[in-house]
Amino acid sequence: CCDCTLTALRQKEDPWNSIISGGATGGVLAARAGPRAMASAAVVGGVLLALIEGMGIMFTKMTAPPVPTAEDYQQAALQDPTAPPTAGPAGMMLPAMMSGSGSSSNMDNTELAAPTAHDQPFGTETTFQTEGTLSGDSGDSSGNAASSSSSSSWWPSFGGGTSH
């Protein structure tokens, strides 16, 4: 409560808000014991929050990356940020690198082809079936649209089987 109030009043978010609010909270909680207990609880609360904030600042500075030097900025300027990457995440090779030539003009189209049925695990192939049309033209030679829509559905069948 005190921390949010101080943030709103001071229009700042800094460690002093926590330190002052710790002192205020300690003082308010000890108010019934008298002014002397209230002052000592406020000091203890403020010091405790100052230690906590100080440790947080210390750990943040210890784990922060080093400040870049002028040499780091010069080295970054030499790299072209618009150049395409040569390897994707987790070392995944891009098609240009797989072809071995480095040129995309003579790249083999089979490298980018969709996986076939034998590439899928467990030898299963997903096929999608559509329901019969409303006009009765479902491709059935008997013209029975109801029988074809009952044997097929919008749900994919696995393994090529049509039984449900």
Side-chain angles (χ1 to χ4, degrees):
C1 175
C2 293
D3 191 28
C4 295
T5 303
L6 283 171
T7 302
L9 290 174
R10 295 181 66 223
Q11 295 293 311
K12 284 185 184 179
E13 183 64 46
D14 61 358
W16 286 108
N17 287 347
S18 297
I19 294 168
I20 295 169
S21 69
T25 302
V28 168
L29 291 176
R32 293 182 65 187
R36 178 173 267 176
M38 188 173 161
S40 70
V43 168
V44 168
V47 168
L48 183 66
L49 266 292
L51 289 173
I52 292 171
E53 288 293 322
M55 292 296 286
I57 292 169
M58 183 182 72
F59 283 127
T60 301
K61 288 192 177 201
M62 285 176 38
T63 58
V67 178
T69 63
E71 295 169 1
D72 294 333
Y73 287 119
Q74 289 173 352
Q75 204 173 41
L78 296 177
Q79 296 175 355
D80 183 13
T82 61
T86 56
M92 185 174 79
M93 302 294 282
L94 294 177
M97 292 183 71
M98 289 190 293
S99 67
S101 67
S103 172
S104 61
S105 62
N106 55 1
M107 183 175 19
D108 189 10
N109 287 337
T110 59
E111 293 175 3
L112 300 178
T116 59
H118 62 30
D119 293 337
Q120 294 184 359
F122 308 110
T124 59
E125 182 179 330
T126 305
T127 57
F128 294 94
Q129 300 173 352
T130 58
E131 292 188 33
T133 59
L134 295 176
S135 65
D137 185 22
S138 64
D140 190 3
S141 61
S142 64
N144 191 355
S147 67
S148 71
S149 66
S150 66
S151 67
S152 66
S153 69
W154 62 272
W155 193 258
S157 65
F158 298 96
T162 58
S163 63
H164 293 277

